[in-house]
Amino acid sequence: MIKFGIGQSLARVEDARLLRGLGRFTDDIAPPRSVQMYVLRSPHAHAEIGGIDFRAARAMPGVHTILTGEDAAADDLGGFPSMVPSTAPGGGPNFTPPFAIIAHGKARYAGQPVAIVVADTLEQAKDAAEAIIVDYEPLPAVASLADADAPGAPLVWNECPDNLDALATFGDKGVVDAAFEKAASTHSVEVRISRVSANPMESRTALGEWNEAEERYELTGGMQSPHMLRAQLAECVFKIPPNKIRVRAFDVGGGFGMKGVPHPEPALVLWAARKVRRPVRWTSERSEAFLSDCHSRDHTSRCELALDSGARILALRFFARANLGAYLSLAGLHCAQGNIGHLSGVYTTPAIYAEVRSYFTHTVPIGPYRGAGRPEAITVLERAIDAAAFDLRMDPAELRRRNLIGPDQMPYDTGFQFTYDSGNYPVSQTKAEEAAGWANFEERRLESLRRGKLRGIGMGHIVEIAAGMNDEMGAIDVEADGSVTISTGFHNHGQGQETTMRQLVSEFLGVPPDRIKYRDSDTDVQPFGFGSAGSRAAAVGGALFKAISEKIIEKGKVIAAIMLDTSAEEIDFVDGTFTARSTNRTATLAEVAALAHQPMGLPQGMEGGLSHKQMFRPKGPTFPNGCHICEVEIDPETGRSEILGYWVCEDVGRSINPMIVAGQMHGGVVQGLGQAMGEFIEYDEEGQLLTGSFMDYQMPRALDMPQITTISNNVPSPNNPLGIKGAGESGTVGAMPAGLNAVCNALQPLGIRHFDMPATPWRVWQAIQHAGGIEALHKAAHETA
């Protein structure tokens, strides 16, 4: 381990820049002659658009152009595709309408772009938008997943009867049904996973430019996957070669998956920029973001467990309904069904059958959000475990322990979808229980009851696929003075990649981090990249930079051999220094790089410079895992839940930077608890958004959160040469079930077996009243005593 290498809690190098206001965000960039775009959005969830009269608006001061769906059709602009195919209810492929960049003829959700106004200032664009007259014919809408297939429900698409786009089944139903027939006991629970909005600190942004000299588009924006967005824009929207579009991202204030899928506005600014021959800027306002950012989650599920007489799981059945919104976003169906393999959890479940029905509704399209299907599956599974423990009057921790996969069973084929790489789940649970004081919790519950409070404890085991999106490209360039520049298709938007990637290269090449430059994601720098998503950057990036470094060292040995008058086979490289074994003569990486940049001093045929670029595909995905425990106390008179403590024993494989891992875990936990305790997107029956601001949408606050204790039980992954698993999403995946289980556990003395998120004070208070209120609490306290 070198001073700045893998395993060191190096302070984040990007923080010094960001904390001093020196970050470079898209909204900071204002090229000369740039203009502003304002998006006029449909006020209706479902409406025919008879015509748009913008003559008066077009004549207003500062207005350069106004564009509508008619113009988009005339220019033959397409929409964004779905990357996940599925099966229609009757067999065959599911219906996949392109995610339109602007409405044409019909609006299908409140907030859908109907027209764009480009003006000198944002105020002028807004004023002009108010003068546009749109001839809407409002139509009935369906905004609720529960009502999507109700008799007579309005159709989002005529091609989808009952609004049912996809019916996906997994596993052998016959085998599972047979296991249920012979079970000693069966248990079921119905769980609603609420709809949420990502709400990153920086809202979505885009700057579009038309490069007249090169006849191509240039996009700068807040995004996670510049290369993937470029491919979609080129192939599907503008129908041009990819090299006719440049996409780059500088600093981005959070993404959480939402910024990893295409949205209409980046396409709209590029289209407008070519029309007006000026740079066009757009930054989403917060109220606009609630209407237009892809939402996430929104599932209802029924999970059934079959247990034998020893409380060991024989089989699991799962039936889910998933909301897609009005269009398929790039990853909408992935969120609905792509991570269904997580129903296996950390348990030795012999047989699983799952059925997922995915519906269109007149709402904003669904997209990924920190976990992208993992929290939905794991939360339902973990709630089913707790519900079964409630039925059996068994300690939920004991029921889990009886069914955990053992370390000696690794690698473990779940028989459903995944093969886990490594892990020690029993040890993680033991460590988490000890840290949380699980064994004496009932004493704390009794103490709370004496004070008229309800205390609960919840556990949530997680195992999640990571680093599963394969190829990535990267490059390392060693300059003549030994300094290093690195680049990849990954993008840093809060994960600390500017630091961890430097640490990796510092480890491999022995160069101090302050001598390593990290280049922002730019399709002109790297021709390919998948971007940052799915907790992949550390595992895939680590292996990628290791492979590239080995190529640089290999060439460096040849050059060092010339300098040290020996053969390359006699050269060792350690901590930035090449050493000849026979003579102990040395040459630093900087000295070798200096000669490498003088081609006249190199053997004939050897290419000058000391750099390497390549693609990399890891051996397979990794499976970070952990055991989360949450403890809450509820005031029955107000319904307010206070989170008293949170403990997580995590396994992220080899940790590049333990401090950054802890930060990622803390942030993920807060987001998971935020959804369990308060966050909720809600529409009325007409498809109007009711939670369109932070006055109505309950974001987690620092004062709501407890001390979060993290404990490590890292088991390296065999699926990449560094043993890294990933850490970006597991905090959220574990916090949702742990937090919800804690609330349900607190309410159990009142006879409440299950309670659906979000656990807002009003909803919790209502549940307590329905269970008998304060009188029921006094009775529970008396019986417990």
Side-chain angles (χ1 to χ4, degrees):
M1 181 184 295
I2 68 172
K3 184 176 180 181
F4 303 111
I6 297 173
Q8 301 296 307
S9 289
L10 190 67
R12 294 193 348 162
V13 296
E14 54 265 55
D15 287 351
R17 179 183 81 252
L18 297 173
L19 291 172
R20 289 183 294 157
L22 301 178
R24 192 183 186 193
F25 295 89
T26 302
D27 194 56
D28 297 326
I29 304 169
R33 301 178 66 248
S34 59
V35 291
Q36 296 278 351
M37 181 181 81
Y38 178 77
V39 182
L40 179 66
R41 301 182 183 277
S42 171
H44 303 286
H46 193 199
E48 296 280 0
I49 300 175
I52 302 177
D53 183 353
F54 53 80
R55 289 170 297 180
R58 181 66 182 85
M60 293 178 70
V63 175
H64 290 266
T65 191
I66 296 175
L67 301 171
T68 69
E70 291 283 349
D71 301 303
D75 288 350
D76 193 29
L77 299 186
F80 296 113
S82 167
M83 74 174 184
V84 180
S86 191
T87 305
N94 65 299
F95 176 60
T96 57
F99 183 1
I101 65 170
I102 192 166
H104 181 218
K106 180 180 281 192
R108 288 185 166 87
Y109 62 92
Q112 183 172 10
V114 170
I116 59 172
V117 182
V118 179
D120 288 332
T121 68
L122 181 59
E123 291 72 20
Q124 289 173 330
K126 287 183 176 182
D127 288 344
E130 291 182 0
I132 296 174
I133 300 173
V134 183
D135 179 16
Y136 291 109
E137 182 183 340
L139 300 171
V142 58
S144 162
L145 179 59
D147 297 333
D149 59 351
L155 296 182
V156 181
W157 299 95
N158 292 332
E159 295 86 345
C160 273
D162 299 322
N163 292 311
L164 178 57
D165 181 59
L167 172 56
T169 60
F170 309 86
D172 190 323
K173 188 175 186 298
V175 171
V176 171
D177 288 348
F180 270 79
E181 288 294 326
K182 68 178 184 180
S185 65
T186 62
H187 313 269
S188 66
V189 65
E190 294 186 3
V191 181
R192 179 188 185 187
I193 306 294
S194 53
R195 186 183 187 106
V196 293
S197 176
N199 296 320
M201 184 177 294
E202 178 204 27
S203 60
R204 289 189 297 114
T205 59
L207 165 64
E209 299 178 81
W210 171 250
N211 187 322
E212 193 74 49
E214 299 183 13
E215 294 188 329
R216 70 170 185 162
Y217 297 100
E218 296 184 357
L219 174 68
T220 304
M223 65 198 78
Q224 297 175 224
S225 306
H227 295 82
M228 186 164 61
L229 178 57
R230 180 184 67 162
Q232 303 300 327
L233 288 168
E235 179 181 352
C236 303
V237 178
F238 295 108
K239 303 168 188 176
I240 57 178
N243 64 3
K244 288 295 183 179
I245 302 179
R246 179 188 187 183
V247 180
R248 58 184 179 172
F250 297 116
D251 287 318
V252 175
F256 309 122
M258 183 273 289
K259 290 183 183 176
V261 296
H263 286 73
E265 293 81 8
L268 294 175
V269 294
L270 291 177
W271 181 38
R274 185 170 187 179
K275 291 288 188 182
V276 302
R277 294 305 201 262
R278 288 183 176 218
V280 177
R281 305 169 66 201
W282 174 79
T283 296
S284 172
E285 297 180 345
R286 189 61 66 179
S287 57
E288 186 179 17
F290 276 107
L291 286 167
S292 61
D293 291 356
C294 282
H295 295 161
S296 196
R297 318 289 195 226
D298 204 351
H299 282 208
T300 58
S301 308
R302 178 180 175 85
C303 188
E304 303 172 353
L305 289 178
L307 307 181
D308 67 13
S309 58
R312 290 177 176 82
I313 301 172
L314 298 175
L316 180 149
R317 284 194 296 230
F318 177 82
F319 304 93
R321 293 163 60 90
N323 197 337
L324 298 171
Y327 293 86
L328 293 175
S329 76
L330 189 72
L333 274 170
H334 173 71
C335 300
Q337 62 187 49
N339 275 313
I340 204 71
H342 291 86
L343 287 173
S344 299
V346 295
Y347 310 111
T348 55
T349 306
I352 298 175
Y353 174 75
E355 187 175 291
V356 181
R357 296 171 181 265
S358 301
Y359 293 88
F360 286 118
T361 61
H362 290 107
T363 59
V364 177
I366 291 292
Y369 169 56
R370 207 164 189 172
R374 300 167 180 84
E376 293 91 317
I378 295 268
T379 297
V380 175
L381 170 64
E382 292 295 305
R383 277 300 304 133
I385 295 285
D386 264 33
F390 177 89
D391 296 343
L392 297 170
R393 300 296 185 263
M394 180 184 289
D395 180 358
E398 175 59 25
L399 179 55
R400 287 177 169 84
R401 191 174 293 107
R402 293 187 189 189
N403 289 281
L404 290 175
I405 299 164
D408 57 331
Q409 296 174 278
M410 296 292 177
Y412 184 80
D413 183 353
T414 66
F416 189 48
Q417 288 195 358
F418 298 148
T419 297
Y420 300 151
D421 51 352
S422 66
N424 193 330
Y425 309 150
V427 166
S428 290
Q429 178 168 324
T430 297
K431 286 187 172 184
E433 284 186 43
E434 290 174 351
W438 185 281
N440 59 9
F441 168 73
E442 291 302 328
E443 297 174 10
R444 301 196 295 277
R445 187 201 296 273
L446 181 58
E447 188 274 331
S448 292
L449 282 172
R450 288 172 180 151
R451 293 187 287 106
K453 302 292 179 67
L454 294 163
R455 187 183 288 239
I457 195 166
M459 180 180 290
H461 264 286
I462 72 109
V463 59
E464 55 147 354
I465 190 170
M469 292 172 279
N470 291 320
D471 296 0
E472 191 57 63
M473 177 175 277
I476 297 178
D477 297 290
V478 184
E479 306 294 342
D481 66 347
S483 61
V484 172
T485 300
I486 61 176
S487 60
T488 70
F490 300 120
H491 186 271
N492 178 43
H493 43 273
Q495 310 96 317
Q497 287 176 17
E498 289 187 42
T499 303
T500 55
M501 295 301 168
R502 281 180 167 95
Q503 285 184 259
L504 288 166
V505 175
S506 178
E507 174 87 12
F508 303 144
L509 296 181
V511 179
D514 61 2
R515 298 265 294 163
I516 300 171
K517 179 183 178 181
Y518 177 93
R519 295 195 66 170
D520 292 305
S521 190
D522 186 334
T523 58
D524 270 12
V525 174
Q526 291 288 351
F528 175 85
F530 205 96
S532 297
S535 305
R536 67 188 298 268
V540 179
L544 170 64
F545 279 131
K546 185 175 189 297
I548 296 173
S549 297
E550 288 170 351
K551 292 291 186 180
I552 287 176
I553 293 168
E554 181 182 337
K555 181 177 180 179
K557 286 182 177 181
V558 175
I559 298 172
I562 298 170
M563 300 172 64
L564 303 178
D565 195 25
T566 186
S567 66
E569 292 75 18
E570 289 293 313
I571 299 290
D572 293 324
F573 180 79
V574 179
D575 291 347
T577 301
F578 296 91
T579 303
R581 291 191 213 107
S582 57
T583 63
N584 278 334
R585 293 176 61 196
T586 63
T588 65
L589 179 65
E591 291 169 338
V592 169
L595 180 57
H597 283 78
Q598 299 174 20
M600 297 298 292
L602 299 177
Q604 187 173 2
M606 178 179 284
E607 184 178 348
L610 194 57
S611 62
H612 185 70
K613 175 188 289 187
Q614 75 171 63
M615 298 274 288
F616 178 82
R617 175 173 293 183
K619 177 181 175 182
T622 63
F623 290 87
N625 57 85
C627 182
H628 293 236
I629 296 176
C630 179
E631 189 165 329
V632 303
E633 187 176 73
I634 297 173
D635 183 343
E637 294 188 353
T638 64
R640 182 179 181 275
S641 302
E642 180 183 358
I643 306 172
L644 301 176
Y646 198 96
W647 303 264
V648 52
C649 182
E650 41 82 10
D651 171 10
V652 300
R654 192 178 180 191
S655 175
I656 301 173
N657 186 313
M659 180 175 65
I660 288 178
V661 168
Q664 285 291 294
M665 202 64 59
H666 287 191
V669 166
V670 169
Q671 287 183 291
L673 291 178
Q675 179 165 0
M677 298 298 181
E679 294 187 56
F680 181 39
I681 286 285
E682 186 172 9
Y683 288 92
D684 69 12
E685 293 180 355
E686 296 180 350
Q688 294 299 316
L689 184 63
L690 300 178
T691 49
S693 75
F694 290 143
M695 293 295 291
D696 305 299
Y697 186 92
Q698 182 182 319
M699 289 286 285
R701 298 168 298 181
L703 291 176
D704 299 328
M705 294 297 121
Q707 176 70 31
I708 299 170
T709 301
T710 57
I711 309 151
S712 293
N713 180 34
N714 292 330
V715 180
S717 170
N719 285 352
N720 63 72
L722 298 177
I724 298 167
K725 290 180 177 174
E729 293 164 305
S730 57
T732 301
V733 178
M736 279 176 59
L740 186 57
N741 278 340
V743 172
C744 292
N745 182 261
L747 297 174
Q748 282 180 4
L750 305 182
I752 298 173
R753 182 175 181 267
H754 175 71
F755 177 86
D756 271 326
M757 65 178 70
T760 61
W762 169 243
R763 296 188 72 251
V764 172
W765 182 85
Q766 282 185 309
I768 292 171
Q769 299 311 304
H770 291 158
I774 299 299
E775 292 75 14
L777 175 63
H778 292 328
K779 180 180 178 183
H782 177 74
E783 291 174 351
T784 304

